[in-house]
Amino acid sequence: MRAPAWLPMPVRRALRVLRRYSRVLGRRFEHWSAPARRQWRRSLQLRIVALTLVASSVLVGAFGFFVAQNSARILLNRAQDEVQSSLYEKTKYASSQLSIYLQSRDPKLPQAMRNLTLNALADDDTAESGGSIVAMRADLYTSLDPVISAKVNTGELITPDMIKSVAHDGQIAQQVRTATVGGKRIKYLVYGSPLPTGFGHVELYYMVPLTTEDSAANQIRTTVLVTGLALVILLGIVAGLVTRLVVLPVRDAARTAQRLSAGLLDQRMRVDGEDDLALLAASFNQMAANLQRQIVRLEEMSRLQRRFTSDVSHELRTPLTTVRMAADLIFSEREEFDPAVARSAELLQAELDRFESLLTDLLEISRFDAGFAALDAEHADLVPIVERVADRLAGLADRVGVEIELRVPETPVIAEVDPRRVERVLRNLVGNAVEHGEGRPVRVTLACDDAAVAITVRDHGIGLKPGEERLVFNRFWRADPSRARQTGGTGLGLSISAEDARLHGGWLEAWGAPGEGAQFRLTLPVRAGDRLLTAPLPLIPRDRDLVIEQSPAIEAPAVAETAADETAEVL
């Protein structure tokens, strides 16, 4: 946020410097506090203990403050009661002694006030040793000087407001004041009372130190503070121990779940006791045992299924070869047969080709399932591979009235790939695009950067419905099984293509929209084993972007262009 222009230049510079240093301090604080914040997020026990300590500290602090304040108030009230009782006795005695003087100018009156103050009314302990102070004043009579039982300046203890209340208003007043006596700051409880005489009244002030009460209050505060701290620490320890009893089984369950997810199906939690946590551990172990049995059963079924597919594929090879030889012989002599028999020979030859392609695909799928598929990578130029695929599918494209457009760089595009597998992927993609192109052109685009090579195959056919871009790579899946087909594929081509892309460490993604066609993108790393982060070509075609800009009502399907995680999910 910029400083307002109307501020002076020095102020704006100071604000800029302040903002810069605040950002630096903020970054340093985030860096320093990162371990603590990370531990706070990860540790349930730490959060519970910290919250318990905070809550208990607040409660104990409030209770301790209440106890300390009430104790101090009780001590003060007790001191007030004692001072009031003593002041009443002193006032009564002094009044009886001074009532014999009828004139304030009686020459004996000052001495009588002095004798009363220093001898009769004063306590045994002096003010310097912690005793009380008695003062007698006569502010209404200028002829009488104040008399104090100790050599102490009472100006800090007897304030003008208190003198006004006692001398002029004739009221009993009290206050708590602090004064310096003997070089020490001492708190006093000061009482003032009018003293009736024969000529009017004078004022009697009684000042009692609160040293004992202050000491007792401080001891109470210290005791409450120490007890509160010990109680908070004890609550923290108890909270930590109780939380540990709950957190340890949870951590054990988390570790066991992680091991189970990693494939260690024999891992179990330890069961101690018969409480709720033990019941949880036993239930978790039972669930893990059931999951292990189901997973083992599914793995066995999957293994049997893969073995069955592989065995059947291999076993069908021998009779297929025999049938192929007979069919080839019949097909070569079809000109000598009747038209119906000749047509049957042609149909037999076509279906045998399709059956042989199906067996080849099943064998390839069984290799991927068994983990026997290996990548024979070498440095190859992808431009001739793309052109070769287009040439081989030119005949099919001519029959269905589709034009194949190539957009490839004029310079070689070298990548470390398996040429046979890349050509197979492109053959499947381009063949599907020609088949589903509805007579419109199919565009094949090749691009590369320093880390990746991308090939897109774009058609303008019926497209894909929302969600089908994730289903097209499933085995034997078809968008419209009832639709007439020209090539008679097996339904395994895209599944094998996805496995070939994954074997390269690459992506095979699909995009489509109803009535706008589809686009498939194959992305491979330039160097085998590198991790892909982005693709040189977008997954959503640029002509699709133009359609979206011209027709805002058309909503594009959710497609991840370059996210590796979502791409892996698509595959």
Side-chain angles (χ1 to χ4, degrees):
M1 182 177 179
R2 298 179 62 87
W6 51 267
L7 289 176
M9 182 58 68
V11 176
R12 282 186 286 173
R13 290 177 179 173
L15 289 177
R16 284 197 296 268
V17 172
L18 181 62
R19 284 198 300 268
R20 184 166 62 251
Y21 277 103
S22 63
R23 286 194 296 267
V24 172
L25 291 176
R27 287 193 296 267
R28 289 183 178 178
F29 176 77
E30 291 181 357
H31 176 71
W32 293 335
S33 62
R37 288 186 283 110
R38 184 167 55 252
Q39 185 67 20
W40 175 265
R41 291 192 303 268
R42 293 180 177 179
S43 177
L44 176 62
Q45 184 178 11
L46 176 62
R47 292 199 298 270
I48 292 178
V49 172
L51 293 176
T52 302
L53 289 176
V54 171
S56 60
S57 298
V58 172
L59 292 176
V60 171
F63 177 74
F65 178 79
F66 174 77
V67 170
Q69 289 297 106
N70 278 352
S71 300
R73 187 178 300 107
I74 291 173
L75 292 173
L76 181 61
N77 290 338
R78 187 180 65 181
Q80 288 175 344
D81 293 340
E82 293 177 355
V83 172
Q84 285 178 356
S85 175
S86 178
L87 179 64
Y88 175 77
E89 295 296 333
K90 294 178 183 300
T91 302
K92 182 178 179 181
Y93 177 77
S95 177
S96 63
Q97 295 296 320
L98 296 180
S99 295
I100 60 176
Y101 301 99
L102 301 179
Q103 297 290 332
S104 61
R105 296 185 179 276
D106 192 324
K108 297 181 180 180
L109 182 58
Q111 184 62 35
M113 292 175 57
R114 184 176 181 83
N115 292 334
L116 282 173
T117 302
L118 298 179
N119 298 321
L121 302 180
D123 296 333
D124 296 336
D125 296 333
T126 62
E128 291 76 9
S129 60
S132 59
I133 303 173
V134 178
M136 190 175 294
R137 300 173 60 94
D139 282 24
L140 296 179
Y141 309 101
T142 57
S143 58
L144 299 175
D145 296 327
V147 183
I148 304 173
S149 62
K151 297 180 180 180
V152 178
N153 182 13
T154 60
E156 297 179 288
L157 299 176
I158 305 175
T159 61
D161 292 337
M162 189 175 190
I163 294 174
K164 180 177 179 300
S165 297
V166 177
H168 299 279
D169 298 337
Q171 299 176 355
I172 297 176
Q174 68 166 356
Q175 61 183 7
V176 177
R177 302 286 296 176
T178 302
T180 302
V181 177
K184 299 179 180 180
R185 299 290 291 176
I186 301 177
K187 185 183 295 184
Y188 280 87
L189 176 60
V190 183
Y191 264 88
S193 173
L195 183 63
T197 63
F199 55 85
H201 72 267
V202 296
E203 308 101 62
L204 178 63
Y205 296 95
Y206 189 33
M207 291 154 278
V208 179
L210 297 177
T211 306
T212 303
E213 288 75 9
D214 273 351
S215 177
N218 290 334
Q219 290 180 358
I220 292 174
R221 293 190 189 97
T222 303
T223 303
V224 170
L225 178 61
V226 173
T227 305
L229 288 177
L231 182 60
V232 169
I233 294 174
L234 181 62
L235 288 176
I237 295 174
V238 171
L241 294 177
V242 173
T243 308
R244 182 181 177 84
L245 294 176
V246 179
V247 170
L248 284 182
V250 174
R251 290 177 179 173
D252 188 19
R255 287 193 296 266
T256 305
Q258 290 175 354
R259 296 190 184 106
L260 289 174
S261 64
L264 303 176
L265 301 180
D266 58 341
Q267 296 295 312
R268 298 293 184 270
M269 290 182 61
R270 185 176 60 185
V271 180
D272 294 330
E274 300 178 357
D275 54 6
D276 294 337
L277 294 176
L279 179 60
L280 173 63
S283 301
F284 185 91
N285 291 340
Q286 184 178 2
M287 177 191 68
N290 294 334
L291 287 176
Q292 183 180 13
R293 286 194 295 269
Q294 292 294 333
I295 291 174
V296 171
R297 178 172 171 270
L298 292 176
E299 287 180 348
E300 182 65 21
M301 292 178 61
S302 177
R303 186 183 65 81
L304 293 175
Q305 182 182 9
R306 291 195 301 268
R307 182 176 179 181
F308 174 78
T309 303
S310 177
D311 292 346
V312 168
S313 302
H314 281 90
E315 292 298 328
L316 288 178
R317 277 292 183 183
T318 301
L320 177 62
T321 302
T322 304
V323 174
R324 164 66 70 180
M325 293 173 59
D328 289 342
L329 179 61
I330 296 173
F331 184 76
S332 63
E333 301 293 336
R334 68 184 183 282
E335 299 294 339
E336 300 177 3
F337 300 150
D338 294 335
V341 179
R343 178 58 180 164
S344 298
E346 293 174 355
L347 292 176
L348 176 61
Q349 186 75 8
E351 291 304 319
L352 283 175
D353 291 339
R354 185 178 177 187
F355 187 48
E356 188 173 8
S357 177
L358 176 60
L359 284 180
T360 302
D361 290 344
L362 286 175
L363 285 173
E364 190 67 21
I365 285 292
S366 65
R367 292 191 190 96
F368 283 116
D369 290 341
F372 293 150
L375 187 68
D376 188 11
E378 61 182 45
H379 288 87
D381 186 2
L382 297 182
V383 174
I385 297 177
V386 174
E387 294 175 345
R388 186 164 58 248
V389 170
D391 292 339
R392 291 182 178 180
L393 293 174
L396 174 63
D398 292 338
R399 287 197 303 270
V400 298
V402 173
E403 180 185 0
I404 301 178
E405 301 176 356
L406 296 183
R407 296 184 179 181
V408 296
E410 296 180 357
T411 57
V413 178
I414 306 299
E416 192 176 357
V417 297
D418 188 337
R420 179 181 66 86
R421 295 184 183 277
V422 173
E423 183 174 348
R424 181 168 60 187
V425 174
L426 294 179
R427 190 168 58 248
N428 283 324
L429 296 181
V430 177
N432 287 339
V434 170
E435 178 190 349
H436 298 86
E438 302 293 332
R440 299 185 181 93
V442 171
R443 185 172 63 249
V444 182
T445 306
L446 171 63
C448 69
D449 57 21
D450 295 337
V453 176
I455 304 173
T456 59
V457 180
R458 172 79 161 108
D459 68 73
H460 299 81
I462 60 174
L464 297 173
K465 298 178 182 178
E468 290 184 347
E469 67 274 1
R470 299 177 182 271
L471 301 176
V472 293
F473 301 105
N474 293 343
R475 299 175 184 180
F476 301 107
W477 184 87
R478 292 195 183 98
D480 187 3
S482 64
R483 193 168 60 84
R485 311 178 74 251
Q486 298 291 332
T487 58
T490 63
L492 296 174
L494 289 179
S495 298
I496 296 174
S497 299
E499 295 292 344
D500 284 334
R502 186 180 295 113
L503 195 62
H504 280 84
W507 311 332
L508 182 58
E509 305 159 277
W511 169 89
E516 299 183 31
Q519 177 164 292
F520 287 77
R521 181 179 66 180
L522 173 65
T523 310
L524 303 175
V526 171
R527 291 168 293 276
D530 288 357
R531 182 182 179 186
L532 290 178
L533 298 177
T534 58
L537 293 174
L539 179 60
I540 301 178
R542 291 185 173 87
D543 55 356
R544 164 66 176 178
D545 297 335
L546 295 176
V547 172
I548 293 175
E549 292 178 1
Q550 296 172 1
S551 303
I554 299 177
E555 182 179 356
V559 178
E561 285 198 18
T562 59
D565 294 339
E566 296 190 7
T567 301
E569 185 181 356
V570 170
L571 296 180

